[in-house]
Amino acid sequence: MRTTIKDIAAATGLSVTTVSLVLNHKPSGISSATRERVLKAAKEMDYRPNQLAVGLIKRRTNTIGLLVPDIRNMFYSAIAKEAEHACRKKGWTVMLCNTGDQHKRELEYIRVLGSRGVDGIILGISSDGNDEKTQESCELTRSLGIPLLLLDRTVQGSAVVVDHKKGGFLATEHLIKLGHRRIACITGPSYLQGSISRVEGYRQALSQYGIPFDESLLVEGGYMMQNGEEGVLKLADKQYTALFAFNDMMAYGAYKALRRQGKSVPDDVSVVGYDDIFFSEILEVPLTSVRQPLEELGSAAASLLMEIANGETENKVIQFEPQLIVRKSTAKPKE
Amino acid sequence: MRTTIKDIAAATGLSVTTVSLVLNHKPSGISSATRERVLKAAKEMDYRPNQLAVGLIKRRTNTIGLLVPDIRNMFYSAIAKEAEHACRKKGWTVMLCNTGDQHKRELEYIRVLGSRGVDGIILGISSDGNDEKTQESCELTRSLGIPLLLLDRTVQGSAVVVDHKKGGFLATEHLIKLGHRRIACITGPSYLQGSISRVEGYRQALSQYGIPFDESLLVEGGYMMQNGEEGVLKLADKQYTALFAFNDMMAYGAYKALRRQGKSVPDDVSVVGYDDIFFSEILEVPLTSVRQPLEELGSAAASLLMEIANGETENKVIQFEPQLIVRKSTAKPKE
DNA sequence: TTGAAAGCGCTAACAT
DNA sequence: ATGTTAGCGCTTTCAA
């Protein structure tokens, strides 16, 4: 932030206008002689425009805010990485904000980002919130005039989402095709869209293959490993040959609890997870899981948001398809 | 970014100066009547200062840049989270930059951050670089006048580091005290400070307990799981009862390879990892590992950098002590 | 083809 | 105790 446009003007004996024009590749008629002169000076003096000044006058900062509940969560760090990559390619920058899964901080950060002039916000809704709170966050960004894009949640406006109904369907169908008919589920919190959709997919698969739905095979979890362990305990007196955990962490917990019950995976119980986080692959019994295309999600989120900020695109929801990754934790039921 | 200071001036019939003075809690003498009037108007009109304008004039943005090789890496995401947290508490913001472990991007980003007026940079050196390249990055930030703080690397200037020599010592001593005398190592790349220090600690422990150093028990790895597997294969014809992997990922790889060799952990071979990443705890045989205080590291990095940016502190290196976490992968040697 | 001047929203001497 | 004024570094009419 050393040399300014003024310095270049002085050095070349031109006006700041001319320098600015050249440096911004404006189609205005400027003799190639002066153009060269300016470019040369700019290079020699290692000129870099002060983006604060540019942002102030252009009302554009080429910056997006990325609000996530917890960056340590693979889901968000994978998205963050690709979002950042997409931005970098276009000369944009990412402001990272960790909400710690607190709605309050979400709001606080939206204001901060607003005052820093971000051109858009990618929001991973904190899970401590209900629909009303989500609405509140959306409303706030709208009132600040900041384009918003939601991650894996549709409320209004733009979003990138995963078809979790299909995810639920794929997992269940896989088990059914292996011959399972008593398929238990450890779900996510019952008020979360993602979990509800997975249940829908689960039920759709059952119904499509003529298997009766048994509500007692569903236990509610909270996406933590511990919930997987608890879930298996709650299912102790139930007959089931397969288990669909709504995320991999809970599947790991289920592994643990099943082992303690003397049951083997997949000989006694087949297990399917969801998320396909890195470790599922390297477990002793690699976990069959439903993979969400996080990279695509992150990249698409950033690209879409930049387009919206540029006025090139209107509100839009992009949906991605999950994919079943079959590993060693699922097999035909015994006998 | 709707209402400006001008609007408030107009609404209250005061000058922008007065409004600015009040809003910035300047110690100047202002009647509490007008103070109230301004504050009230500001609140009603939901005033938020345009930080671009503030930054432009104050030459301070209260923003730091965080450059990491890969945010998906637990090491960096944990640090990022805490750094962000420390910043948020002080009203600072973090710009996240992922270098993809490429020195070139590191340089590119330093320039970008400079033109965006960050007040400091926390740099996690990309591992594709040698000392010379590291030096280049430092030099560039210096020439741009941006305070710099290195993560886990000391070159010059400020840094937060972990005492890896001690880490290596702790791991080795633990194994020695259990009775092991033939302790193999799968190290990191031989040119990396962190790995070199661990080896030093390893050797120090051996020497302190009167155990001869046997170079053939050391194989070089690259911090990837695969290197752990390869390492065990390379050690196949060696006599050893314990293995010190220089990070957890390689320890997992070692687990795999040992299992394939029909060896059990810890009955046949004790294994110690390094990093204590989350999954080490939930493995079937939970991994004994050396824990780096990443949270403290991240928090300290941000706090120190903010202090430096504020001119409150000079160059400073903060060193943290690693900690041995004993789990199930280490035991007395057989017989 | 180039330049003068206004102004983005804010702070900070310097008056008054 | 409050206001005037001059910028921060840049873009952008509008003139010349």
Side-chain angles (χ1 to χ4, degrees), chain A residues 64-81:
Chain A
I64 65 168
L66 176 61
L67 258 71
V68 298
D70 188 350
I71 190 66
R72 293 171 311 175
N73 182 148
M74 295 265 184
F75 183 82
Y76 295 112
S77 62
I79 287 178
K81 191 200 167 207

Side-chain angles (χ1 to χ4, degrees), chain B residues 15 17-18 28-29 31 34 57 59:
Chain B
S15 75
T17 310
T18 311
S28 141
S31 78
T34 47
I57 196 163
R59 277 123 196 304

Side-chain angles (χ1 to χ4, degrees), chain A residues 167 171 244 272-276 288-292 322-325:
Chain A
F244 174 22
V272 179
Y274 202 103
D275 283 351
D276 190 34
T288 294
S289 187
V290 177
R291 180 172 190 287
Q292 306 189 53
Q323 188 191 353
L324 181 74
I325 308 290

Side-chain angles (χ1 to χ4, degrees), chain B residues 255-289:
Chain B
Y255 267 39
K256 276 197 168 182
L258 287 169
R259 200 185 308 144
R260 257 184 260 118
Q261 293 181 351
K263 289 181 183 162
S264 136
V265 175
D267 297 337
D268 299 309
V269 177
S270 283
V271 177
V272 179
Y274 203 103
D275 283 352
D276 190 34
I277 61 181
F278 175 74
F279 280 85
S280 298
E281 194 176 342
I282 67 171
L283 293 174
E284 276 193 46
V285 178
L287 180 67
T288 294
S289 188

Side-chain angles (χ1 to χ4, degrees), chain A residues 82-83 86 122 149 160 294-306 318 320:
Chain A
E82 292 306 320
I122 295 179
L149 185 150
V160 294
L294 299 181
E295 287 72 21
E296 290 88 331
L297 219 66
S299 174
S303 300
L304 178 54
L305 187 57
M306 287 187 288
I318 303 183
F320 287 90

